[in-house]
Amino acid sequence: MTGDAELIRIAREAREYAYSPYSGFRVGAALLCADGTIYKGCNIENRAYGPTNCAERTAFFKAVSEGKKEFAAIAIVGGGEEPVWCYPCGVCRQVMAEFCEPDSFQIICARSEREYKVYTLEELLPEMF
Ligand code: THU
């Protein structure tokens, strides 16, 4: 069973591949599936701005496109040179709502393996559609 610290380490690894020449904000995510597999994602920006994809959605779309539909947790690490507190945007929260149990899916927002906060999806997206 993957622990919080290990998932955060993998999200930091994913952050290495962030493509963010326009914002300079680098985000990595590690999505833990119910079967124990992990999908990594980074943010991918675009010169037209609008097509930019967040790290969280990159991880979800990779996983869903490989047949995964059940998820346990996601770790998120984002910032400039050093990680800051980085929370998923509204669009990513809605994507999570499509696939995750509101009261049990864990969203781990981390600055490091030792400094992190854990939320349920319900806490970050109350009264969801
Ligand atoms: N971003 C993410 O990838 N995830 C978040 O949780 C917040 C924002 C990205 C989008 C954009 O590439 C950059 O961070 C600045 O908003």
Side-chain angles (χ1 to χ4, degrees):
M1 185 64 200
T2 307
D4 292 352
E6 175 66 357
L7 207 59
I8 292 165
R9 187 191 65 73
I10 296 166
R12 288 204 304 122
E13 219 172 71
R15 197 171 106 92
E16 296 294 314
Y17 296 114
Y19 177 76
S20 52
Y22 305 104
S23 73
F25 198 81
R26 305 170 63 82
V27 188
L31 177 62
L32 176 65
C33 304
D35 66 3
T37 54
I38 294 170
Y39 285 82
K40 296 196 273 188
C42 63
N43 56 330
I44 304 168
E45 297 188 346
N46 187 277
R47 62 183 63 176
Y49 298 169
T52 291
N53 207 55
C54 291
E56 298 90 323
R57 272 176 291 143
T58 301
F60 265 93
F61 294 158
K62 282 172 69 179
V64 173
S65 66
E66 299 278 335
K68 308 295 173 173
K69 295 272 188 327
E70 289 177 37
F71 304 101
I74 190 168
I76 304 158
V77 181
E81 281 299 304
E82 292 301 318
V84 297
W85 292 116
C86 176
Y87 305 96
C89 79
V91 173
C92 288
R93 294 178 199 203
Q94 185 63 37
V95 168
M96 292 174 195
E98 184 67 26
F99 298 103
C100 306
E101 292 299 326
D103 58 344
S104 63
F105 183 70
Q106 299 213 308
I107 300 166
I108 303 164
C109 302
R111 296 184 65 176
S112 72
E113 280 90 330
R114 290 185 308 279
E115 197 182 3
Y116 62 91
K117 304 177 196 177
V118 185
Y119 303 89
T120 62
L121 176 58
E122 197 164 47
E123 286 175 307
L124 295 191
L125 192 63
E127 311 291 357
M128 66 184 63
F129 179 69

